[in-house]
Amino acid sequence: MPKDHGIGASSKRREDVRFLTGNGNYTDDINVAGQAYVHFLRSDVAHGRLTKVDTSAAAEMPGVIRVFTGADFEGVGGLPCGWQVTDKHGNPMQEPAHPVLAQGKVRHVGDPIAAIVAETPAQARNAAEAIEIDIEDLPAVIDMKAALQEGAPKVHDDLDNNLCYDWGFVEENKGAVDEAFSKAAHVTTLELVNQRLVANPMEPRVAVGDFNRSTGDSTLYTTSQNPHVIRLLMGAFVLGIPEHKLRVVAPDVGGGFGSKIFHYAEEAFCTFAAKALARPVKWTSSRSEAFISDAHGRDHVTKIELALDADNNFTALRTETYANMGAYLSTFAPSVPTWLHGTLMAGNYKTPLIYVNVKAVFTNTVPVDAYRGAGRPEATYQLERVVDKAARELGVDPIALRRQNFITEFPYATPVAVEYDTGDYNATMDKLLEMVDRDGFDARAAESAKSGKLRGFGVNTYIEACGIAPSALVGQLGARAGLYESATVRVNATGGLVVMTGSHSHGQGHETAFPQVVADMIGIPEDMVEVVHGDTANTPMGMGTYGSRSLAVGGSAIVRATEKIINKAKKIAAHLMEASEGDIELKDGQFTVAGTDKSVAWGDVTLAAYVPHNYPLEELEPGLEETAFYDPANFTYPAGAYACEVEVDPDTGKVEICSFAAADDFGNVVNPMIVEGQVHGGLAQGIGQALLEGAVYDSDGQLLTASYMDYAMPRADDVPSFQVDHSCSTPCTHNPLGVKGCGEAGAIGSPPAVVNAVVDALNRGGHNVTHIDMPLSPSRVWSAMNG
Amino acid sequence: MTQVTMTVNGKSVSGTVEGRTLLSEFLREGLRLTGTHVGCDTSQCGACVVHVNGNAVKSCTMLAAEAEGAEVRTIEGMADADGTLSTIQQAFQDHHGLQCGFCTPGMVMSAAALLSENPKPTEAEIRAYLEGNICRCTGYHNIVKAIMAASGQEASAVAAE
Ligand code: FES
Ligand code: FES
């Protein structure tokens, strides 16, 4: 019987009611009395020197309140980078300044040059046309390898070159890895591109700055996954406003997928301008603006080599990746191709020797940062493609080759610095094969052949590091922040609870899932627990939601705070029942004394805490409110096996996904309905990457895919219904819930399954195709077949 | 500036708009009906879908002035007067057809229009009909399931699990 409440129940989402009735409160729904409107004038060239920015005519336009340029921000800090990578020689990465508004140069199409504040949005837009700008065009650097050539134009004049860092991991192992390659019985090599993507949450970014003239306090309403991080970065590094004078509110957030983690110029601008003008100001991004101002994702070019011995055991792995940073370092950009990518290169396999080299490159493109999976999809894609290619070259079954090399004993320390606590990769593979009816494949392929189609089957495994992250470890790796999470649990006198968390949902259903945990621990109905999040004024300092961390890290903080509550409540209950504290048990919202029939209800104890007439005041403070900060001991390691079946039309190259199955190990699951929904969404994004999506720049640095007309988002008829399973569970050993995280798995695990399936279909059809770069558009597939 | 009058969710409303004011802007800014969302500027995402005289319309592609005299229904007008969710809204909650909720108003309005045209759509018909509505969160699986369920069809016929 499925559970109907508490941990493990598919409780219906309480947030849905407001979203389904038009009562959501997204940032663009917020209007502050007297607000003015901001329009950013953005560069339409990729690289150039600003020789003139004359705002005098614009300032005279109707409704214009003030026009700001880079000059207004000369005494203000730039946008900070939150992660410093150390290169293979032990030197810090090259870290350019990132002004709020362009100073001296523009470095990508979309770089903001000026900001107009006016009475109406239309007046602000109209005035932008009256700003006189001269830009001396400079040659743009778009291709990463060209950007690293001697004499290439520099994106940042004050840096040595366009190389942010050249990272080796683990540098000391390089010699041993090279030696293993020289002794290998077989080496499989693959060069591939993990294309640039645009996250495209359906809600565009919005920022509303407000300033209270009476208190001198600033407030920013923003579309953010982590309001506390924005408050810290913007307050301390950009505007010099202490946290106690700055409040950041992220109300309902319409999706993020990573792109709303980062601190953006528009947030700093609106906060700054509201104070400068003593007037609220609002900016709402258009979708076209989002394409050239939201951080992009992926954009890696990789060569991967796998060495095998004569028995097909993996003996070494070597990769060289060029990772595009874009024109500036977005908040967490340097960590993505390094610590979120290199550490995952062991995958599910016991490859003993691994060397990862990453060259991070500045180009005249929109900055690139974390997008759903962030580094881990790039690692999984190259690894699972090269393993599939090796199986094909060796003429062995790709599943058997994987199984032979699976890690089977845990804990397992990889050669790339992480230790997997639990897992069972054969179990998820067995489950997957049960789900997909592989034996029926030949019959299905014959059916496809009748209509002239080629059918293919692709499989892959994945592992990810989630539950980001142990602070001391990431500190050693260059993080400039801690990555704990916080929770305050406030019990009210009549027994209801408010959970204030630093995690912040942007679609994950925290308002439903967190109460399931707390209600289960106490034994009360879920609707007695309310979640407060997204506002620095009423939540403890926390790091927010990304990296599949909210339940594993944020949920653990909630468990710890609730444990403190229960411990104190037991002391009160012991006093009320004149029993010893050690004998008190809590079940179904009742405190009992072991071995007796004495009991007091949860509500009696909470009331006593606030009306302490009969209360051990000499030993215990009144009240019932506790805070916990939880710093994880390790990452969590969700893993799984995915399979895809495709049909390819050889006449057009069009790929159709016939079925997609995912068998995941997420450890314990709090709300299966929400977990399955997370997997579905991730799968659609991964399939979108595999077949449809890709941000394309021309050689001048113009983004050719800057709207939904050119950037192909997956639509309902591009994806199938999915088969998902999470019954193979090896609970995490180091967090109190035994959970691992599920938000990114689908996007990490699905691209290689799709590409493996298409390559399989083509080979079955007699086409000797070893690889096609994503997105597998009809023209690319057709060209590969007819190449 | 022109004066427009229309019926929105059963109530007669009027306001002054510029010639270029879009229906989506009039609903959101003029009437403060912020359930209708704007997710793009090329009329391709469907977050803004409302009903105009019973037809699903992208309110970002229609001028407010063009809706003069029309019957407009938005997401705010979908639940019963006592707050009870309509069959479609309830099915979206029951089958987890929404995550961040941003595409949801448009999805619900499109789904309602589909079911009034075609009360028992197949899965393929649902997917084809939703061609103009983008959801970045759900992968569509549970949206399709919710619409099947709202049409009184076995939702598990879609759900593979
Ligand atoms: S806002 Fe109307 S279609 Fe996107
Ligand atoms: S639920 Fe987020 S876009 Fe559909």
Side-chain angles (χ1 to χ4, degrees), chain B residues 84-119:
Chain B
T84 310
L85 298 181
S86 67
T87 307
I88 292 171
Q89 289 168 308
Q90 191 57 56
F92 268 69
Q93 185 185 31
D94 291 346
H95 297 280
H96 191 27
L98 64 153
Q99 292 183 21
C100 79
F102 198 81
C103 72
T104 308
M107 284 287 178
V108 168
M109 299 315 283
S110 288
L114 164 65
L115 295 187
S116 68
E117 281 168 32
N118 180 358

Side-chain angles (χ1 to χ4, degrees), chain A residues 141-179:
Chain A
V141 280
I142 303 303
D143 178 76
M144 286 190 275
K145 290 181 185 170
L148 295 183
Q149 302 272 305
E150 217 25 70
K154 287 200 281 185
V155 177
H156 296 275
D157 301 347
D158 53 340
L159 301 187
D160 296 341
N161 47 38
N162 294 317
L163 180 66
C164 178
Y165 54 75
D166 184 354
W167 185 75
F169 186 63
V170 174
E171 194 60 26
E172 298 77 60
N173 295 349
K174 185 170 188 304
V177 170
D178 291 346
E179 192 182 326

Side-chain angles (χ1 to χ4, degrees), chain A residues 420-441:
Chain A
Y420 303 162
D421 57 343
T422 55
D424 187 345
Y425 309 145
N426 277 306
T428 41
M429 183 61 84
D430 292 344
K431 174 49 89 177
L432 180 77
L433 296 178
E434 234 176 72
M435 291 161 76
V436 299
D437 179 26
R438 204 181 179 209
D439 295 342
F441 178 83

Side-chain angles (χ1 to χ4, degrees), chain A residues 13 20 26 288 714-716, chain B residues 41 89 99-100 127 131 140:
Chain A
R13 297 200 333 164
L20 281 163
Y26 299 88
S288 305
R715 292 173 188 262
Chain B
D41 45 12
Q89 289 168 308
Q99 292 183 21
C100 79
R127 288 184 183 275
E131 200 258 336
Y140 304 101

Side-chain angles (χ1 to χ4, degrees), chain A residues 42 65 87-88 118 126 140 181 189 209 216 241 263 338 402 432 470 573 588 621 673 695 705 709 759 773 781:
Chain A
R42 297 178 183 277
I65 298 163
D87 77 5
K88 65 183 186 186
N126 290 345
F181 270 89
T189 304
I241 306 174
H263 176 38
T338 51
R402 286 179 167 88
L432 180 77
D588 296 335
E621 292 172 11
M673 175 192 81
T705 50
M709 308 217 260
V759 171
D773 274 326
V781 174

Side-chain angles (χ1 to χ4, degrees), chain B residues 37-49 58-61 132:
Chain B
H37 293 158
V38 175
C40 74
D41 45 12
T42 51
S43 65
Q44 286 178 307
C45 76
C48 62
V49 170
K58 288 180 170 170
S59 63
C60 74
T61 61

Side-chain angles (χ1 to χ4, degrees), chain A residues 239-539:
Chain A
L239 302 178
I241 306 174
E243 285 104 311
H244 59 274
K245 302 302 281 178
L246 178 58
R247 174 180 171 203
V248 177
V249 185
D252 287 328
V253 179
F257 315 109
S259 69
K260 292 174 182 167
I261 297 172
F262 323 121
H263 176 38
Y264 287 99
E266 296 85 358
E267 296 172 318
F269 177 80
C270 288
T271 311
F272 177 88
K275 191 171 178 180
L277 301 171
R279 187 163 173 187
V281 301
K282 178 172 188 173
W283 169 73
T284 301
S285 175
S286 68
R287 180 61 57 186
S288 305
E289 205 172 3
F291 271 100
I292 53 170
S293 67
D294 290 6
H296 293 174
R298 315 276 192 264
D299 208 350
H300 286 192
V301 174
T302 293
K303 178 180 178 190
I304 180 167
E305 299 164 283
L306 175 66
L308 301 96
D309 68 13
D311 299 321
N312 297 342
N313 298 311
F314 302 165
T315 57
L317 187 78
R318 189 164 60 191
T319 74
E320 183 186 27
T321 288
Y322 292 81
N324 207 333
M325 296 285 102
Y328 302 98
L329 289 178
S330 174
T331 312
F332 290 111
S335 69
V336 175
T338 51
W339 302 106
L340 292 172
H341 163 254
T343 52
L344 270 298
M345 284 313 306
N348 307 60
Y349 309 112
K350 51 193 180 207
T351 316
L353 289 162
I354 297 176
Y355 178 73
V356 179
N357 174 255
V358 178
K359 295 171 183 72
V361 186
F362 294 112
T363 61
N364 292 113
T365 61
V366 169
V368 180
D369 205 327
Y371 165 60
R372 201 170 196 168
R376 292 151 288 172
E378 295 89 324
T380 303
Y381 180 65
Q382 49 183 292
L383 186 58
E384 292 297 317
R385 285 291 301 123
V386 83
V387 168
D388 230 57
K389 184 167 183 240
R392 197 167 294 286
E393 288 172 357
L394 295 164
V396 298
D397 175 47
I399 296 173
L401 181 64
R402 286 179 167 88
R403 284 192 192 268
Q404 172 185 347
N405 287 282
F406 274 165
I407 295 161
T408 52
E409 280 168 25
F410 296 88
Y412 178 84
T414 72
V416 275
V418 290
E419 183 175 284
Y420 303 162
D421 57 343
T422 55
D424 187 345
Y425 309 145
N426 277 306
T428 41
M429 183 61 84
D430 292 344
K431 174 49 89 177
L432 180 77
L433 296 178
E434 234 176 72
M435 291 161 76
V436 299
D437 179 26
R438 204 181 179 209
D439 295 342
F441 178 83
D442 289 342
R444 293 193 295 277
E447 215 31 59
S448 300
K450 280 189 199 154
S451 48
K453 305 271 175 61
L454 307 174
R455 202 171 185 99
F457 176 80
V459 70
N460 73 278
T461 58
Y462 77 89
I463 182 143
E464 51 171 330
C466 296
I468 289 173
S471 294
L473 175 63
V474 295
Q476 285 166 26
L477 304 181
R480 288 164 168 165
L483 287 167
Y484 57 84
E485 195 44 86
S486 65
T488 295
V489 175
R490 174 180 298 160
V491 186
N492 292 320
T494 56
L497 291 89
V498 180
V499 175
M500 291 158 265
T501 169
S503 306
H504 186 33
S505 176
H506 45 287
Q508 296 87 344
H510 294 176
E511 290 169 34
T512 302
F514 291 160
Q516 289 182 251
V517 172
V518 174
D520 218 36
M521 290 175 71
I522 301 172
I524 52 174
E526 288 164 25
D527 62 9
M528 286 177 69
V529 186
E530 190 78 17
V531 170
V532 169
H533 53 174
D535 184 345
T536 60
N538 55 21
T539 57

